[in-house]
Amino acid sequence: MYSDLKQALLDLEKAGMLKRIHQEVDPYLEMAEIARQAFDCGGPALLFEKVKGSRFPAAANIFGTQERLDFLFRDTLESTQTAVLFKSNPVEFFKKPSPARLFNAATAGIRALPKKSGSIKDFEECSLADLPQVVCWPEDGGAFITLPQVATRPSESASILQTNVGMYRIQLSGNDYAAADPTKGTDAECGLHYQIKRDIARHHEKAIEEGRPLKVSIFIGGAPAHTIAAVMPMPENLSELVFAGMLAGRRFRYFIHDGYVISSDADFCILGEVAPDLKPEGPFGDHVGYYSGKHPFPYLKVKKVLCKKDAIYPFTVVGRPPKEDTLFGKFIHQITRPMVPASIPGVHAVHAVDAAGVHPLCLALGSERFRPYASRAEREPMELLKTANALLGFNQVSLSKYLMLAAKEDNPNLDVCDVPAFFEHILERIDFKRDLHFQTSTTIDTLDYTGTSLNHGSKLVIVAAGEKRRLLRNFEADLATLKLPEGFTAVKNVMNGVIAVEGAGDIQKLSNELDHWPFKENYPWVSIVTNLNEIQNIDDFLWVTFTRSDPAQDVHGLNEQVANKHWSIDAPMIVDARIKPRHQKILNVPPQVKTRAKEILKAAGIGGIT
């Protein structure tokens, strides 16, 4: 049970899971690249003892391996899982009752209650400029806090159990944000970027309706469980502080100061009010693997910045998956696995595919029981459509762009985490005249730039149930028989039933050639890409296809028809996943920064960097 970040880092060091970087490091690009390379080679957590321009040490890659996550939460993970199972599915919980299980659930429940403790005297004052100004990517709009715990309440008099804590990136510098000016009595400012479908919006809306500024507390550091809690998809009106206490094995300590909630164990606390207007925020190199652009977002008028005497500044680096936040997702799924089936009857498993950027692609396993009397040949997706609508209204799954849904009855052993097998199952069974269901002109993830404008785009639900309709193939010899029209230069197999075609040619001309291809039914998925060299494996295919296509604009097929407003095609389905002018830039780092980072890691005795 860790009371703060320093205690956890010392424990990691004692276990040989943390290395110190003794030499001074530059927070502009260098620190982030060091952290990226350490993660990529499965390296240790890092403690930067000397950060250029800041008096505070910094830590990165804290959660960068499953081994470290298991170690950090070795004493509390089981009891937390037990409590989540009890909350989400009491019937399942009591199928295997035992004194130990009941004790674990009860203990976790007690730890879940926040505890009033500490005071403002436990902190010193500092400024935003004192924090390590970590800039992760060359075209970022400034320095960002990448592991913030952003806490709000619906009102100053609200119960602590009504506190929402989320991880919304905070821009520390750049753009039009003002620095504090004591001579003029003006406050410092920082950007507050929250995406759609975030619970802070409810509190912000209430404050606007009541004509008052929303008070926001930003915690940095503290017990590692507090950071995990900030990305936990808690049910609405159930505070993340409850989960923070359970996972930490120690009740969340807090006190109230001038209407602000302050985490007693945090290393830093930034207190501020949301301004009545908006200011440009970004760009920022995001977890999808591209920059998110500069757009108007809320920002804070900072009233106070607090720090502990021995504060350590934790940060993470996001980019094209996998990165450290990939481990966050897997760890949270490990805990919350029982919640989705309990919340949506008929759902057995859900997998937001990390390699595809998380929200762009979701695979789900449901049930098809509406017509148990139907023969196998007559079975079709019916209950699955109901389930798809429920999933697109559920928590963060609602941000899915492509949702692929299969029936467990067709293959009880189908695993949503086995992407090639899941694709094969769907493509063998899909009826392209019936099983493609679009939502056009709808809301999409804020970080997805494939749509028509920020937060606007489309979704595609792909469902399949019943007998196999086609045999999938995966042979190089088949591709030699496909005549590529002008503008298309190469084709390659990706996996069973899936090919990728390179070129800038006309899609209709490619469609015409595919229509004459004898193997068109055996390869029902065709992705058109800008450069085939980008696709060296299935993860590359997933990233390119689903982060560079908007269903309504970019999905095509043979013999396209619309009947009763339903769009249908003949196989194959063609997805235009080429780079387009509306897309954002891919994230890259200058070679000299990579070389410098490698040298620093080598000097610290961290090998295996490639």
Side-chain angles (χ1 to χ4, degrees), residues 400-599:
S400 302
K401 181 168 61 175
Y402 288 84
L403 173 61
M404 299 176 70
L405 192 57
K408 186 175 183 179
E409 290 76 10
D410 292 327
N411 181 359
N413 298 316
L414 188 61
D415 182 358
V416 294
C417 294
D418 186 344
V419 174
F422 197 91
F423 263 73
E424 184 170 345
H425 178 95
I426 292 283
L427 294 177
E428 286 174 334
R429 291 167 175 80
I430 186 171
D431 180 346
F432 284 104
K433 292 190 179 299
R434 181 192 65 201
D435 296 337
L436 301 175
H437 302 273
F438 287 83
Q439 287 189 8
T440 58
S441 298
T442 188
T443 52
I444 60 173
D445 182 25
T446 305
L447 307 183
D448 192 322
Y449 283 82
T450 61
T452 52
S453 61
L454 186 68
N455 295 323
H456 295 85
S458 63
K459 299 177 185 290
L460 175 58
V461 174
I462 303 172
V463 289
E467 291 185 325
K468 295 181 182 180
R469 294 175 170 272
R470 60 184 63 83
L471 176 68
L472 305 184
R473 292 170 65 92
N474 187 356
F475 298 111
E476 288 297 322
D478 295 347
L479 304 187
T481 66
L482 175 61
K483 181 183 177 182
L484 294 177
E486 182 182 358
F488 295 96
T489 55
V491 59
K492 74 187 300 183
N493 282 309
V494 176
M495 54 184 163
N496 291 347
V498 178
I499 62 173
V501 178
E502 177 186 306
D506 181 72
I507 293 175
Q508 186 56 54
K509 290 181 180 179
L510 177 63
S511 179
N512 292 340
E513 293 297 339
L514 286 167
D515 200 15
H516 294 97
W517 190 33
F519 299 108
K520 63 184 179 182
E521 277 287 339
N522 308 113
Y523 295 90
W525 187 295
V526 177
S527 285
I528 307 176
V529 301
T530 302
N531 184 354
L532 271 181
N533 289 330
E534 284 191 280
I535 300 181
Q536 299 299 318
N537 52 51
I538 290 173
D539 282 355
D540 291 342
F541 160 78
L542 294 170
W543 184 66
V544 168
T545 296
F546 294 100
T547 66
R548 296 182 188 171
S549 64
D550 171 67
Q553 298 181 79
D554 297 322
V555 173
H556 308 270
L558 304 194
N559 306 315
E560 297 182 22
Q561 294 183 0
V562 176
N564 299 322
K565 299 186 176 63
H566 178 79
W567 186 81
S568 66
I569 58 170
D570 292 324
M573 185 172 82
I574 304 168
V575 180
D576 183 359
R578 294 174 289 193
I579 295 173
K580 305 171 184 73
R582 66 181 185 270
H583 294 174
Q584 292 291 313
K585 287 185 179 180
I586 299 171
L587 302 177
N588 283 301
V589 175
Q592 64 271 25
V593 175
K594 293 184 178 182
T595 301
R596 172 68 176 156
K598 185 176 180 180
E599 291 170 351

Side-chain angles (χ1 to χ4, degrees), residues 323-344:
K323 289 291 180 285
E324 190 176 11
D325 56 332
T326 300
L327 276 296
F328 281 9
K330 289 181 178 178
F331 185 71
I332 288 170
H333 181 69
Q334 188 179 347
I335 295 171
T336 61
R337 191 178 290 114
M339 291 175 64
V340 176
S343 302
I344 306 177

Side-chain angles (χ1 to χ4, degrees), residues 128 143-145 148 150 168-178 188-194 216 218 279-282 297-302:
L128 293 182
F144 286 82
I145 302 172
V150 182
Y168 320 119
R169 72 177 187 238
I170 304 297
Q171 186 168 349
L172 284 175
S173 63
N175 296 347
D176 301 329
Y177 300 123
E189 297 171 349
C190 63
L192 172 60
H193 177 285
Y194 67 81
V216 177
I218 302 169
K279 283 194 173 185
E281 189 270 357
F297 273 96
Y299 67 99
L300 294 187
K301 293 284 189 179
V302 177

